[in-house]
């Protein structure tokens, strides 16, 4: 999943960068781990991207669920083996990279 997201981000001119901030970034992921990704988007297209984020996220697999959580994370659940996979997208403006 991380590879799929990375390839899509590299091809998307709206995205300036990604950061894996979950257990896989720390080397403690396993087959049951979720994926946590910060997505940095050009400021001028941020609102459009955020409005249509589900369409973007649906390109990574069969999307079973998507919603914006209480802390503004964009949560998804994909069909997967051995179990569904949760991916948390934290969307940010490119101007926030320094912070």
């Amino acid at each position: 999943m991380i590879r799929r997201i990375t390839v899509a981000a590299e091809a998307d001119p709206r995205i300036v960068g990604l950061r894996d901030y979950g257990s896989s970034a720390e080397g403690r992921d396993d087959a049951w781990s979720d994926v946590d990704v910060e997505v940095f988007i050009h400021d001028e297209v941020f609102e459009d991207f955020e409005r249509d984020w589900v369409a973007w996220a649906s390109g990574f697999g069969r999307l079973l669920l998507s919603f914006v959580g209480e802390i503004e994370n964009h949560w998804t659940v994909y069909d997967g083996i051995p179990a569904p996979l949760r991916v948390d997208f934290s969307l940010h403006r490119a101007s926030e990279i320094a912070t």
Side-chain angles (χ1 to χ4, degrees):
M1 180 60 75
I2 293 172
R3 187 173 355 99
R4 288 180 193 170
I5 294 167
T6 301
V7 167
E10 288 173 344
D12 192 327
R14 301 171 298 175
I15 298 173
V16 298
L18 301 174
R19 185 176 83 94
D20 177 356
Y21 67 95
S23 58
S24 61
E26 299 170 359
R28 50 184 188 82
D29 58 320
D30 60 26
W32 303 105
S33 295
D34 68 340
V35 175
D36 302 291
V37 180
E38 288 183 310
V39 182
F40 294 92
I41 302 144
H42 284 287
D43 290 22
E44 61 274 8
V45 295
F46 179 84
E47 290 170 3
D48 290 337
F49 187 94
E50 188 173 39
R51 186 174 28 258
D52 296 329
W53 75 275
V54 173
W56 176 77
S58 66
F60 307 128
R62 186 168 161 244
L63 194 57
L64 302 176
L65 177 67
S66 61
F67 64 97
V68 178
E70 291 181 22
I71 57 172
E72 297 298 317
N73 273 10
H74 298 69
W75 292 0
T76 57
V77 177
Y78 293 90
D79 192 9
I81 296 172
L85 174 64
R86 192 178 94 198
V87 179
D88 301 342
F89 295 103
S90 181
L91 306 182
H92 302 278
R93 287 175 168 77
S95 60
E96 298 174 14
I97 289 174
T99 59

